[in-house]
Amino acid sequence: MLDFDDPWWLIAVIVLIGCWVVGVLVPVRMAAAPLQPLRQYADLAEDVVEEPPPPAAKPGLGLPVLAFLASLVMSAISLRKRIQEPEGGNRWVWMAAAQGAGCFWAFILIVWVLKVSGSGG
């Protein structure tokens, strides 16, 4: 499973880890954005009158779309490598399944970002 003789396997593992990190990073950033104004209000002194903090920035679609496309491409490559390997290529089956789950999660993140930002239906 950890045989990195095939350069595609190393690329697939790196992309998989990157997509899963994005899958954790995006929800954390989306949850932290609404808490920022509350933190700024808590830091204000009671006698100091300042302007209210600016509204939180809308989440971007860049990372979820990039993770979706990378997972989709690596799923296709994993399935192709599974068919081409003479000894069965069981590691590519697991990689295709993991990339497919990452692709599904990235799609959920895209829908979630669109819903939160008000851009989607």
Side-chain angles (χ1 to χ4, degrees), residues 40-97:
Q40 290 176 351
Y41 278 127
D43 291 342
L44 291 176
E46 292 177 11
D47 57 334
V48 177
V49 177
E50 291 186 20
E51 292 182 17
K58 302 232 185 244
L61 276 174
L63 284 177
V65 169
L66 181 67
F68 178 76
L69 293 176
S71 293
L72 194 64
V73 167
M74 288 313 298
S75 293
I77 290 173
S78 297
L79 290 175
R80 191 192 83 214
K81 294 292 276 184
R82 163 61 178 99
I83 292 169
Q84 288 179 350
E85 278 196 8
E87 64 273 355
N90 289 333
R91 65 181 180 166
W92 290 108
V93 172
W94 288 105
M95 181 59 70

Side-chain angles (χ1 to χ4, degrees), residues 12-50:
V13 169
I14 290 171
V15 170
L16 178 67
I17 291 170
C19 289
W20 284 3
V21 167
V22 168
V24 171
L25 183 68
V26 170
V28 168
R29 288 180 60 192
M30 286 177 64
L35 297 177
Q36 186 65 22
L38 297 175
R39 189 174 301 138
Q40 290 176 351
Y41 278 127
D43 291 342
L44 291 176
E46 292 177 11
D47 57 334
V48 177
V49 177
E50 291 186 20

Side-chain angles (χ1 to χ4, degrees), residues 19 22-24 26-27 30 59-61 63-65 67-69 71 99-117:
C19 289
V22 168
V24 171
V26 170
M30 286 177 64
L61 276 174
L63 284 177
V65 169
F68 178 76
L69 293 176
S71 293
Q99 291 288 5
C103 186
F104 180 69
W105 179 246
F107 180 74
I108 291 172
L109 288 177
I110 291 170
V111 171
W112 189 25
V113 167
L114 287 174
K115 183 172 276 241
V116 167
S117 67

